[in-house]
PDB file of all heavy atoms in Angstrom:
ATOM      1  N   VAL A  34     -80.348 -86.696 -13.887  1.00 98.00           N
ATOM      2  CA  VAL A  34     -79.898 -87.211 -15.183  1.00 98.00           C
ATOM      3  C   VAL A  34     -79.135 -86.090 -15.872  1.00 98.00           C
ATOM      4  O   VAL A  34     -79.649 -84.976 -16.009  1.00 98.00           O
ATOM      5  CB  VAL A  34     -81.101 -87.657 -16.053  1.00 98.00           C
ATOM      6  CG1 VAL A  34     -80.633 -88.060 -17.442  1.00 98.00           C
ATOM      7  CG2 VAL A  34     -81.868 -88.798 -15.380  1.00 98.00           C
ATOM      8  N   ILE A  35     -77.919 -86.399 -16.291  1.00 98.00           N
ATOM      9  CA  ILE A  35     -77.153 -85.439 -17.089  1.00 98.00           C
ATOM     10  C   ILE A  35     -77.158 -85.992 -18.508  1.00 98.00           C
ATOM     11  O   ILE A  35     -76.609 -87.058 -18.773  1.00 98.00           O
ATOM     12  CB  ILE A  35     -75.736 -85.229 -16.543  1.00 98.00           C
ATOM     13  CG1 ILE A  35     -75.837 -84.622 -15.143  1.00 98.00           C
ATOM     14  CG2 ILE A  35     -74.937 -84.335 -17.489  1.00 98.00           C
ATOM     15  CD1 ILE A  35     -74.541 -84.183 -14.531  1.00 98.00           C
ATOM     16  N   ALA A  36     -77.831 -85.267 -19.393  1.00 98.00           N
ATOM     17  CA  ALA A  36     -78.035 -85.708 -20.771  1.00 98.00           C
ATOM     18  C   ALA A  36     -77.163 -84.870 -21.695  1.00 98.00           C
ATOM     19  O   ALA A  36     -77.397 -83.681 -21.856  1.00 98.00           O
ATOM     20  CB  ALA A  36     -79.512 -85.579 -21.146  1.00 98.00           C
ATOM     21  N   GLY A  37     -76.167 -85.496 -22.286  1.00 98.00           N
ATOM     22  CA  GLY A  37     -75.248 -84.789 -23.154  1.00 98.00           C
ATOM     23  C   GLY A  37     -75.552 -85.039 -24.617  1.00 98.00           C
ATOM     24  O   GLY A  37     -75.799 -86.180 -25.024  1.00 98.00           O
ATOM     25  N   VAL A  38     -75.546 -83.969 -25.400  1.00 97.00           N
ATOM     26  CA  VAL A  38     -75.764 -84.090 -26.836  1.00 97.00           C
ATOM     27  C   VAL A  38     -74.571 -84.811 -27.435  1.00 97.00           C
ATOM     28  O   VAL A  38     -73.421 -84.464 -27.155  1.00 97.00           O
ATOM     29  CB  VAL A  38     -75.980 -82.705 -27.483  1.00 97.00           C
ATOM     30  CG1 VAL A  38     -76.098 -82.830 -29.000  1.00 97.00           C
ATOM     31  CG2 VAL A  38     -77.213 -82.027 -26.900  1.00 97.00           C
ATOM     32  N   ALA A  39     -74.849 -85.823 -28.253  1.00 96.00           N
ATOM     33  CA  ALA A  39     -73.815 -86.723 -28.787  1.00 96.00           C
ATOM     34  C   ALA A  39     -72.577 -85.992 -29.273  1.00 96.00           C
ATOM     35  O   ALA A  39     -72.649 -84.874 -29.784  1.00 96.00           O
ATOM     36  CB  ALA A  39     -74.392 -87.576 -29.922  1.00 96.00           C
ATOM     37  N   ASN A  40     -71.481 -86.646 -29.101  1.00 94.00           N
ATOM     38  CA  ASN A  40     -70.135 -86.215 -29.437  1.00 94.00           C
ATOM     39  C   ASN A  40     -69.611 -85.268 -28.351  1.00 94.00           C
ATOM     40  O   ASN A  40     -69.596 -85.641 -27.183  1.00 94.00           O
ATOM     41  CB  ASN A  40     -70.031 -85.661 -30.851  1.00 94.00           C
ATOM     42  CG  ASN A  40     -70.456 -86.701 -31.887  1.00 94.00           C
ATOM     43  OD1 ASN A  40     -70.188 -87.890 -31.723  1.00 94.00           O
ATOM     44  ND2 ASN A  40     -71.142 -86.271 -32.926  1.00 94.00           N
ATOM     45  N   SER A  41     -69.228 -84.057 -28.687  1.00 96.00           N
ATOM     46  CA  SER A  41     -68.581 -83.177 -27.707  1.00 96.00           C
ATOM     47  C   SER A  41     -69.470 -82.827 -26.522  1.00 96.00           C
ATOM     48  O   SER A  41     -68.996 -82.708 -25.398  1.00 96.00           O
ATOM     49  CB  SER A  41     -68.092 -81.896 -28.374  1.00 96.00           C
ATOM     50  OG  SER A  41     -67.022 -82.175 -29.254  1.00 96.00           O
ATOM     51  N   GLY A  42     -70.761 -82.674 -26.760  1.00 97.00           N
ATOM     52  CA  GLY A  42     -71.679 -82.370 -25.654  1.00 97.00           C
ATOM     53  C   GLY A  42     -71.736 -83.509 -24.644  1.00 97.00           C
ATOM     54  O   GLY A  42     -71.803 -83.290 -23.437  1.00 97.00           O
ATOM     55  N   PHE A  43     -71.681 -84.750 -25.135  1.00 98.00           N
ATOM     56  CA  PHE A  43     -71.700 -85.902 -24.240  1.00 98.00           C
ATOM     57  C   PHE A  43     -70.369 -86.023 -23.481  1.00 98.00           C
ATOM     58  O   PHE A  43     -70.360 -86.354 -22.296  1.00 98.00           O
ATOM     59  CB  PHE A  43     -72.008 -87.186 -25.008  1.00 98.00           C
ATOM     60  CG  PHE A  43     -72.137 -88.388 -24.115  1.00 98.00           C
ATOM     61  CD1 PHE A  43     -73.201 -88.510 -23.231  1.00 98.00           C
ATOM     62  CD2 PHE A  43     -71.188 -89.392 -24.136  1.00 98.00           C
ATOM     63  CE1 PHE A  43     -73.331 -89.600 -22.397  1.00 98.00           C
ATOM     64  CE2 PHE A  43     -71.303 -90.496 -23.307  1.00 98.00           C
ATOM     65  CZ  PHE A  43     -72.379 -90.614 -22.435  1.00 98.00           C
ATOM     66  N   VAL A  44     -69.263 -85.730 -24.137  1.00 98.00           N
ATOM     67  CA  VAL A  44     -67.966 -85.742 -23.455  1.00 98.00           C
ATOM     68  C   VAL A  44     -67.976 -84.702 -22.332  1.00 98.00           C
ATOM     69  O   VAL A  44     -67.550 -84.972 -21.199  1.00 98.00           O
ATOM     70  CB  VAL A  44     -66.799 -85.474 -24.441  1.00 98.00           C
ATOM     71  CG1 VAL A  44     -65.481 -85.333 -23.702  1.00 98.00           C
ATOM     72  CG2 VAL A  44     -66.713 -86.584 -25.476  1.00 98.00           C
ATOM     73  N   PHE A  45     -68.476 -83.510 -22.631  1.00 98.00           N
ATOM     74  CA  PHE A  45     -68.569 -82.448 -21.640  1.00 98.00           C
ATOM     75  C   PHE A  45     -69.486 -82.874 -20.491  1.00 98.00           C
ATOM     76  O   PHE A  45     -69.170 -82.674 -19.317  1.00 98.00           O
ATOM     77  CB  PHE A  45     -69.062 -81.160 -22.325  1.00 98.00           C
ATOM     78  CG  PHE A  45     -69.122 -79.949 -21.446  1.00 98.00           C
ATOM     79  CD1 PHE A  45     -68.034 -79.577 -20.673  1.00 98.00           C
ATOM     80  CD2 PHE A  45     -70.254 -79.165 -21.405  1.00 98.00           C
ATOM     81  CE1 PHE A  45     -68.081 -78.446 -19.879  1.00 98.00           C
ATOM     82  CE2 PHE A  45     -70.316 -78.037 -20.609  1.00 98.00           C
ATOM     83  CZ  PHE A  45     -69.216 -77.680 -19.838  1.00 98.00           C
ATOM     84  N   ALA A  46     -70.616 -83.497 -20.804  1.00 98.00           N
ATOM     85  CA  ALA A  46     -71.555 -83.978 -19.782  1.00 98.00           C
ATOM     86  C   ALA A  46     -70.897 -85.026 -18.887  1.00 98.00           C
ATOM     87  O   ALA A  46     -71.089 -85.030 -17.670  1.00 98.00           O
ATOM     88  CB  ALA A  46     -72.799 -84.563 -20.456  1.00 98.00           C
ATOM     89  N   THR A  47     -70.102 -85.902 -19.483  1.00 98.00           N
ATOM     90  CA  THR A  47     -69.404 -86.940 -18.720  1.00 98.00           C
ATOM     91  C   THR A  47     -68.434 -86.313 -17.723  1.00 98.00           C
ATOM     92  O   THR A  47     -68.331 -86.754 -16.577  1.00 98.00           O
ATOM     93  CB  THR A  47     -68.652 -87.891 -19.684  1.00 98.00           C
ATOM     94  OG1 THR A  47     -69.609 -88.455 -20.592  1.00 98.00           O
ATOM     95  CG2 THR A  47     -67.955 -89.003 -18.939  1.00 98.00           C
ATOM     96  N   LYS A  48     -67.743 -85.272 -18.150  1.00 98.00           N
ATOM     97  CA  LYS A  48     -66.798 -84.577 -17.269  1.00 98.00           C
ATOM     98  C   LYS A  48     -67.538 -83.914 -16.100  1.00 98.00           C
ATOM     99  O   LYS A  48     -67.097 -83.985 -14.956  1.00 98.00           O
ATOM    100  CB  LYS A  48     -66.006 -83.537 -18.053  1.00 98.00           C
ATOM    101  CG  LYS A  48     -65.031 -84.149 -19.046  1.00 98.00           C
ATOM    102  CD  LYS A  48     -64.327 -83.082 -19.875  1.00 98.00           C
ATOM    103  CE  LYS A  48     -63.338 -83.693 -20.838  1.00 98.00           C
ATOM    104  NZ  LYS A  48     -62.275 -84.445 -20.200  1.00 98.00           N
ATOM    105  N   ILE A  49     -68.673 -83.292 -16.391  1.00 98.00           N
ATOM    106  CA  ILE A  49     -69.480 -82.663 -15.339  1.00 98.00           C
ATOM    107  C   ILE A  49     -69.975 -83.724 -14.359  1.00 98.00           C
ATOM    108  O   ILE A  49     -69.903 -83.552 -13.131  1.00 98.00           O
ATOM    109  CB  ILE A  49     -70.660 -81.873 -15.944  1.00 98.00           C
ATOM    110  CG1 ILE A  49     -70.158 -80.661 -16.720  1.00 98.00           C
ATOM    111  CG2 ILE A  49     -71.643 -81.453 -14.850  1.00 98.00           C
ATOM    112  CD1 ILE A  49     -71.219 -79.974 -17.558  1.00 98.00           C
TER     113      ILE A  49
END
Side-chain angles (χ1 to χ4, degrees):
V34 174
I35 297 188
V38 176
N40 301 323
S41 291
F43 184 68
V44 174
F45 184 50
T47 302
K48 291 176 179 299
I49 292 169

